[in-house]
């Protein structure tokens, strides 16, 4: 027989009695959870009768939750749970695209401002009202990607996940900084 240190380098040892899960606690009592927590996963579904609550320090795994705020009218569980790793990475990528869009709107809006002054006035000096309105429009265009991202993320918290991704993808298409694309960073 090999030692425990050598056993780590081999595929054998699945029937090793040390690697087996420890036996259930004596007395048949269910594990105790801290207050405010509930068990989820395999073997945690509530029975037809809820188990008796333990002391005030926690609830047992079989307890039912009296607060049904996470269940909708149709009885389906809340879909606004924690996001997985792939969702968080995709959300970061889309957030980065929106940040680049804001930068593109700043650069493109400032480039178009200089060119558009010649369209308003023949001598290239735009009236103050037009200049102020154009600056406000550029400011809103710069803020639009951040506002869209925040609004979609906030308003679709309790909605289906696919709706959040569809709206974020629509924002990627709708908020493209066209002045930056058409005029470019250096203009012509």
């Amino acid at each position: 027989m090999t030692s425990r240190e050598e056993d780590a380098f081999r595929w054998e040892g699945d029937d090793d009695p040390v690697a087996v899960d420890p036996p259930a606690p004596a007395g048949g009592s269910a594990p105790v959870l801290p207050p405010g927590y509930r068990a989820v996963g395999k073997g945690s579904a509530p029975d037809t009768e809820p188990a008796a609550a333990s002391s005030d320090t926690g609830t047992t795994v079989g307890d039912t939750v009296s607060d049904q705020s996470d269940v909708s009218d149709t009885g389906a569980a809340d879909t606004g749970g924690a996001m997985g790793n792939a969702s968080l990475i995709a959300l970061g990528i889309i957030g980065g695209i929106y940040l680049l869009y804001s930068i593109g709107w700043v650069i493109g809006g400032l480039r178009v401002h200089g060119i558009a002054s010649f369209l308003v006035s023949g001598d290239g000096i735009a009236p103050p009202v037009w200049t102020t309105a154009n600056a406000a429009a550029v400011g809103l265009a710069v803020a639009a990607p951040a506002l869209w991202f925040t609004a979609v993320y906030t308003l679709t918290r309790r909605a289906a996940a696919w709706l959040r991704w569809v709206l974020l993808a629509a924002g990627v298409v709708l908020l493209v900084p066209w002045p930056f694309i058409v005029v470019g960073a250096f203009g012509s």
Side-chain angles (χ1 to χ4, degrees):
M1 179 160 221
T2 61
S3 69
R4 281 301 266 172
E5 290 81 23
E6 293 173 0
D7 197 17
F9 297 111
R10 300 171 6 137
W11 288 102
E12 299 174 58
D14 290 343
D15 56 347
D16 188 7
V18 178
V20 177
D21 292 332
S29 65
V32 177
L33 295 174
Y37 288 89
R38 65 184 166 122
V40 294
K42 186 176 179 182
S44 65
D47 298 330
T48 56
E49 295 180 0
S54 62
S55 66
D56 291 338
T57 60
T59 59
T60 60
V61 173
D63 283 351
T64 58
V65 178
S66 62
D67 180 21
Q68 296 296 326
S69 62
D70 62 341
V71 177
S72 66
D73 294 334
T74 60
D78 182 21
T79 58
M83 289 191 282
N85 290 340
S87 294
L88 289 173
I89 291 171
L91 196 65
I93 291 171
I94 290 178
I97 290 171
Y98 283 134
L99 178 63
L100 290 174
Y101 279 8
S102 290
I103 294 169
W105 276 108
V106 167
I107 295 170
L110 293 175
R111 296 295 300 164
V112 168
H113 179 72
I115 296 170
S117 297
F118 287 106
L119 297 175
V120 176
S121 158
D123 58 357
I125 300 172
V129 173
W130 184 87
T131 304
T132 305
N134 190 29
V138 170
L140 288 174
V142 169
L147 292 174
W148 184 279
F149 184 83
T150 304
V152 168
Y153 186 76
T154 304
L155 297 175
T156 60
R157 282 177 135 173
R158 302 245 180 219
W162 66 268
L163 180 63
R164 175 181 295 155
W165 296 112
V166 166
L167 290 174
L168 287 172
V172 168
V173 172
L174 293 174
L175 298 171
V176 172
W178 288 110
F180 179 77
I181 292 173
V182 173
V183 177
F186 304 108
S188 56

